[in-house]
Each structure stands twice: as structure tokens, then as C-alpha cells.
Amino acid sequence: MDKKQKKAIETFVPEQVYTDRQEFIDFFYNSALHAIGRRTMSIVLLGQRRMGKTEIFKRVVNRLFFEQDHKDSNAAVPVFYQFPDEVFSKRDFTKKYVENFVRWYAAFHLRDTDILSNPVESHDLIALIESSMKISKGFSFALNFLKALNRKDSVFAMPEQQAIDLPRTVAFTDNSTIAVFLDEFQNTRLPHQNFSVTGFFQEAVESPRCPHFVTGSAMSILADEIIGKGALYGRFDYENIKAFSDYWGKELAQKVSVYYGADLMLVMSPIVSDRCGGNPFYITAVIRQAARQQKKIDSEEVLNELLAVDISSGFIWAELSDQVNRWITRVNEHGITKWILYLAALEKEDEIDLHRIQVQLKKNENIDVPTEKIKEILIKLARGDLLEYKSFGNWFCKINDPVLNEFLKVWGKIEVEKQERALIEEDVLKKFQSMEKRFHEYKGYLAEIFMIQVLWTAQRQTIPGIFFHTREDITIPDRFFYIDQRRRPGTGRNMEIDIYAGAGKEVWLAESKWWTNKKVGADVVENMLKQAEIVREREGKYLKTLRLWLFAHDGITREAEKLIQDNGILWSSRTELDGILDQVKLRRLPDLGDEL
């Protein structure tokens, strides 16, 4: 193995583009180490598909593998296993799970990653291990179990339960620490294959010597069915991973554009993130599409065209069609399920109308399907995160993923209605080309992205007042519950607030003016004061602190300065905002040169 590589398991995202998941990597790495002192419980990492969960686990495992002393008996031994989509038998699963554990355990203690894949035959693997390392009492149980599994005539009582308990048993017997990382954990239950081992993890995941860190691509199943009820209920702590903020989304877009040789204007990078919903896979796909077509992303029009192509025939199409088709196979009612998913995607209201789907099924397929059957299938589709089921209100809606929702309409026309692909691709392009422009001042929007990230990152921190042109240092709230962008507190002209951040009794209103060779005047400040008054009236007695913060790239006029001083408004020019960004360890505002 190349010593510089330092990888026990392959990661798929290049280091040059990997962005903003260090917080999660550090959290799980430290959680695994805290298990040495028996201070960690099992944790589930929840998030929608393609948010980077598997990549996080792999990077944590690689750190645990190489950043610890493998000869230290107190080290936390990392084990990684990914549950497959298909299982032939419980005995096959048992042998694979046990052999995987044996390989990781031996590879760590010998600091030899080759053992993870070689020797191929398990009896050769056992012989190599027994000749290369001292076998502890606990690990001897694992080797003996694997030897027994290799004998076709061996008989066990629930071997899959023994396999799942094995890491915990070894850790308990040797008073050691083992950190088990399990990916695609929803596949511990595959009803369509009559396979389920979920309940056997009940005791295994409770061991403080052997915490289990789990994740998977089907968030609804994990949260609501596997972890949220039944044998595993209450046995996991939760960690949530969300889409990128547009600050980190634009960082990823810029890195990916350099990596793949795409031409991306800096001011367009947060727009790319916004249109892709902060999803790292979608952002990467659009940039790669731009590189493939050799198109410069310098406007929303170009960005929309790239999205249209990718959703209907590119990287996004390939990924999402595979995801959808695999889940429909799992639901195992191919024809009717495809139609129901497509018809749900066409819903124009907030709530998906089951009666409308019923009528359209009759019209298109000439079949009568009871609404209860439609509901049953929609619930199964929601379990695959293809739509959302509000179980308490007993209704359905589209999932918060605009790209997926748009894809489903295109997919339905091609795969369900069997329309000609070329015509559909052309229609999608026309639709995206005619979309109304959403952003009219790119530089101002870019500054908003930086200001919002400052507020998120600086929570619980105190920023020197000099950066806000005030004598007092400014303490950022402990927690913002939300930070909205382009919010309207009231009706009428100029009532749109660039940034509205809510922290309970404290609210921040912020305005961004990236004007070059022009100072911000009193009219902008007066408008902020009008907006503030509306917010005060609406919040009433519960509002204790209202902060107004203005970004004026080239400064403010004397008239504006007097208003700001009289009303205690915070303001920052480019110099001060760069100083705040330095303070909270974020990148400074970019030099846009001649852009726009």
C-alpha cells in the first residue's frame, strides 16, 4: 500500500473538492475515541440521499485506522460494513458479516490494509491471521465462528444473531473498544426478500464498549421505522446532516469548476447552489455538465439550460432514475406504482390529491384502484424518500427537493407515458429557458450569502465592535432557529428584507448593498427602519432585541451615517466584513474584477 495514501477504505470524493463536512468527521471520530472511556452511545446519521453520509463514515474510519497506535490495547478498532440491497440467505449474510469483522479487526492490529480484501478464501485468511498476530481470547471466538461457518455441515441456532453480537462479544471479553460503522442500515430489513435482522441489533448497539454508528440512503425508513420504533427505539442518539448553506454550496461549486475545468463566474456560484437546493451531488453534476458542454456559467439562463439537460439526460438523470427504479422494484408493484408516483409528482397543490390520482389511473390505464390502495403505495414510496407522508395529519406532499420533483415529471413522461425521449428533452429545455430571472443583483446576493454564513458560524461568539462601527462588542445569539433570505414582513414596495434571522427574543435584519463607486444613502437606511417597525409591531412584547446590520461595500453617505448613529444600526463596509470573516475563520469576499 502507498504509505502516502493513508486509506483503509476508498473514498470517492477527491480531496480537491471535498467541502464542509469536517464538523461531522470530527464529531464521529471523537465519539469513537470517547467509547474508550465508555462515554459514547450508538448514533444514527440522518439525511437525504447524496448528502455525503457514506463519505463521512469512510473518512472517519480511515482516520481511526491510521491516527491511532494500532499496538495500543486501548485503541478503538474501526469496522466498516455496508448492507447490500440484495441478500440471498441469512447464512450468506452471516458469513459475510463475520468475515468482514475478522478482516477489519486483523487489518487494524497488523496495520495491513491488504487483509481487507486478500486472501480471498476465508480459510487462507484465518491461516494468515493465526500466523501473524497474537490472538486474544475474544478474537478467538470470532475466528472459531468463521471456521464453523466454513463447514457446510455446521448447524447453528440463529447464526445471524451471533454474527451481529460478535463485535460486542469480542469487545466485552477482551475489555477492548470496537467502533462499528454501518452503511445502508435500512437494508437490515428487506421485506420483499423476506430478510430482516434489525431486531438482533437490540443488545449489540447498547454496548458502551462497542458503539454502532449507522446511516443509510432511505432516511424515512431509518428514522420512522427502524430506529424510531420497535426493538431499536431509544437506543440511538441522532445527528442530522442537511443540504449545504449557499455559502458552502458556492465553495463546492468553485472547487468543482476548477477540478473539472468548467468556466464559472464567481458571482454565479451561490446561484448554482440555490438552484440545486444545496445538494452537493446536484451542484457537482451541473458543473460537470458545463465542463462537458464547454459552456461558461455566467447567467441564470445558462444555468437553467444546463439543469434542463442534466435532469433529462445527464448525471442527475442517471442517478435519480436508478434510485427511483430500484425503489419501485423494492415496492414490487411495477406498473401501478410507476403511475402513482408520476401522477403524485404532477400535483399542483400543497397536498397530493388521492382522488385525482384515482381518476387519472382510470383514464390512462383503464383500471379502478381504491384510494386505500393508492394510499398504501404512496406510503411505500414515502419510505424511499420519493415523497413525504405526514402520518399525524394522514396526508402526502412533495419532498423538499425541487430537482427530484422536476425529475419525476420528466421521468414519468419518458418511462411511464412512453413519450419520445428527444421530444421530452426539447420540451424540458424550452421550459427551463423561459423561466423568469430570480436574481437581479448578483453581487448583492453573493454578499448576503457571506453575511448569512457569518451569523450561522459566529453563534455564541462575540465580534469586536470596530467591525460594526460601534464602541460595544457585539455578541451573536447562542442559536438562530432560522435565517431567511429575501423575506417580506409587509406589503408594498421595498418591503423585502435581504436577511431575517430569528433567535427567539432576538431578531436580526440585514441588508446587503455591494455597490462599487457609490455610497449607500439615507433612503436605504430609512427603508430598513420602516421594515424594523413592522417587525416590532408583529413580534410585540416577545421581542427584546432587534439588530439592524447594513453591508455597504463602498461606505455610506453623511446623511446615512447620521441616521445609523441615531438609531443604533450596525454597518460594515467591505473592509469590516472581511475582518468579521477573518474573525470567524471564513473566506474573505472574492475579488470580482470585471465581473458584472
Side-chain angles (χ1 to χ4, degrees), residues 19 34 190 206 233 371 412 441-442 449 481 489-490 505 518 548:
T19 303
H34 289 157
L190 298 169
E206 287 199 289
Y233 179 73
T371 54
E441 216 285 290
Y442 291 154
I449 298 306
F481 292 94
K505 295 180 180 180
K518 179 183 177 182
L548 303 185

Side-chain angles (χ1 to χ4, degrees), residues 14-80:
E15 294 298 328
Q16 297 94 316
V17 304
Y18 196 67
T19 303
D20 186 43
R21 296 306 192 201
Q22 193 60 45
E23 175 186 350
F24 292 97
I25 294 172
D26 292 342
F27 172 79
F28 282 99
Y29 176 77
N30 290 326
S31 294
L33 294 184
H34 289 157
I36 297 171
R38 313 299 183 240
R39 300 192 304 276
T40 297
M41 70 180 295
S42 292
I43 304 170
V44 57
L45 176 60
L46 291 174
Q48 290 182 349
R49 281 182 174 87
R50 300 305 244 162
M51 289 295 169
K53 303 183 295 294
T54 299
E55 191 77 7
I56 288 169
F57 273 18
K58 288 181 176 181
R59 288 169 183 263
V60 173
V61 167
N62 283 334
R63 281 188 63 183
L64 290 169
F65 197 97
F66 287 105
E67 294 184 15
Q68 298 182 94
D69 181 358
H70 65 286
K71 297 180 180 179
D72 184 355
S73 60
N74 290 321
V77 180
V79 176
F80 180 88

Side-chain angles (χ1 to χ4, degrees), residues 142-288:
L143 292 178
N144 290 336
F145 191 12
L146 184 56
K147 290 176 184 177
L149 289 169
N150 285 333
R151 296 194 299 269
K152 293 183 179 181
D153 60 346
S154 58
V155 179
F156 299 91
M158 293 191 294
E160 61 274 22
Q161 182 175 20
Q162 295 181 53
I164 289 168
D165 273 340
L166 188 60
R168 176 185 68 87
T169 301
V170 173
F172 173 73
T173 303
D174 294 339
N175 193 25
S176 61
T177 304
I178 299 173
V180 180
F181 291 80
L182 301 176
D183 192 22
E184 302 296 0
F185 195 68
Q186 76 278 351
N187 289 339
T188 57
R189 181 181 297 154
L190 298 169
H192 62 297
Q193 295 186 29
N194 194 29
F195 175 83
S196 178
V197 294
T198 304
F200 296 141
F201 280 93
Q202 182 173 3
E203 291 189 11
V205 302
E206 287 199 289
S207 170
R209 296 179 174 83
C210 186
H212 287 56
F213 306 109
V214 309
T215 192
S217 56
M219 181 174 67
S220 296
I221 294 181
L222 272 180
D224 300 335
E225 299 182 26
I226 293 182
I227 306 294
K229 63 176 65 170
L232 301 185
Y233 179 73
R235 288 169 172 80
F236 283 86
D237 199 357
Y238 287 75
E239 190 71 15
N240 290 290
I241 186 170
K242 298 181 180 180
F244 283 151
S245 68
D246 283 339
Y247 173 89
W248 291 113
K250 64 94 181 163
E251 288 283 299
L252 175 63
Q254 291 169 14
K255 289 180 181 180
V256 173
S257 67
V258 172
Y259 187 81
Y260 287 105
D263 193 351
L264 171 68
M265 286 184 67
L266 285 175
V267 290
M268 287 301 301
S269 53
I271 313 296
V272 172
S273 175
D274 176 82
R275 290 290 281 114
C276 294
N279 184 300
F281 172 74
Y282 298 155
I283 293 170
T284 301
V286 169
I287 299 298
R288 290 180 66 187

Side-chain angles (χ1 to χ4, degrees), residues 283-297:
I283 293 170
T284 301
V286 169
I287 299 298
R288 290 180 66 187
Q289 189 64 242
R292 172 184 282 184
Q293 296 189 32
Q294 296 185 327
K295 273 193 173 183
K296 181 178 182 179
I297 305 179

